[in-house]
Amino acid sequence: MSDKFSQWHAAIVSSQFILFPGTATPVTISDEKNLAALREMKARGTKRIYVVTLKEATNNINLKTIYETACLAELEHVRGESEKEVQVVIRGLERHRITDLVWDNPRVLVQGEPIELKKDTEAATEGVYLDAIKDLVDEIITFIPGNLK
């Protein structure tokens, strides 16, 4: 591992899926750039990785061919040690803005910064949504055998 990239993070790059914070998804990793990302993580002794989404399938990976928003994630499970295919479960942690990207073939390394979540709803709107959710819960409870109320 080169010292000039010690502050960079490995990235899984795909045009096939998007990962959101709080969700986990199984993924089969079989292309060389993403297998290189897993090897990079192992060499660094970390479980953290960025999941970066391509705007369209391409062999040219740079800041113009990816979406600016990515997900900082953690590998929860790795199955297989094959040089050709590995199955992983990735859990999204938080949204980040990619600030720089290097394709050090085959690995893709990125730098990013957290995106601050902004509240953009009014209290009255939130109240309507909350009331609707409570009504749905009450309705669902009626389908459960036994007295839950």
Side-chain angles (χ1 to χ4, degrees), residues 73-108:
E74 186 168 279
L75 256 60
E76 289 192 341
H77 182 72
V78 178
R79 192 171 101 199
E81 292 293 326
S82 168
E83 290 294 315
K84 296 185 179 185
E85 184 176 282
V86 177
Q87 295 176 340
V88 299
V89 175
I90 305 171
R91 177 168 301 281
L93 300 175
E94 58 185 20
R95 290 308 235 174
H96 279 227
R97 179 172 289 104
I98 299 300
T99 57
D100 209 352
L101 179 146
V102 171
W103 187 11
D104 188 33
N105 205 357
R107 68 184 180 171
V108 176

Side-chain angles (χ1 to χ4, degrees), residues 43-58:
R44 292 182 185 205
T46 182
K47 290 186 171 190
R48 298 257 168 124
I49 192 163
Y50 276 92
V51 176
V52 177
T53 305
L54 291 165
K55 293 178 180 175
E56 58 187 45
T58 181

Side-chain angles (χ1 to χ4, degrees), residues 8-149:
W8 294 64
H9 298 276
I12 291 176
V13 180
S14 176
S15 60
Q16 302 298 312
F17 72 95
I18 298 172
L19 185 65
F20 294 96
T23 64
T25 188
V27 179
T28 299
I29 306 290
S30 59
D31 62 326
E32 185 53 35
K33 68 183 171 304
N34 292 333
L35 288 168
L38 296 179
R39 288 191 295 271
E40 182 80 20
M41 289 177 57
K42 189 174 183 179
R44 292 182 185 205
T46 182
K47 290 186 171 190
R48 298 257 168 124
I49 192 163
Y50 276 92
V51 176
V52 177
T53 305
L54 291 165
K55 293 178 180 175
E56 58 187 45
T58 181
N59 290 327
N60 184 18
I61 301 169
N62 59 56
L63 287 173
K64 293 180 181 176
T65 60
I66 65 164
Y67 287 103
E68 180 181 281
T69 303
C71 191
L72 179 63
E74 186 168 279
L75 256 60
E76 289 192 341
H77 182 72
V78 178
R79 192 171 101 199
E81 292 293 326
S82 168
E83 290 294 315
K84 296 185 179 185
E85 184 176 282
V86 177
Q87 295 176 340
V88 299
V89 175
I90 305 171
R91 177 168 301 281
L93 300 175
E94 58 185 20
R95 290 308 235 174
H96 279 227
R97 179 172 289 104
I98 299 300
T99 57
D100 209 352
L101 179 146
V102 171
W103 187 11
D104 188 33
N105 205 357
R107 68 184 180 171
V108 176
L109 301 172
V110 297
Q111 289 183 319
E113 60 189 18
I115 296 175
E116 188 176 328
L117 297 177
K118 297 177 182 163
K119 184 177 174 182
D120 62 353
T121 58
E122 296 176 0
T125 303
E126 290 174 9
V128 169
Y129 285 134
L130 184 58
D131 289 342
I133 291 170
K134 288 178 181 176
D135 290 345
L136 283 172
V137 168
D138 285 343
E139 190 174 327
I140 290 169
I141 287 174
T142 64
F143 293 107
I144 300 174
N147 188 0
L148 298 177
K149 283 193 173 189

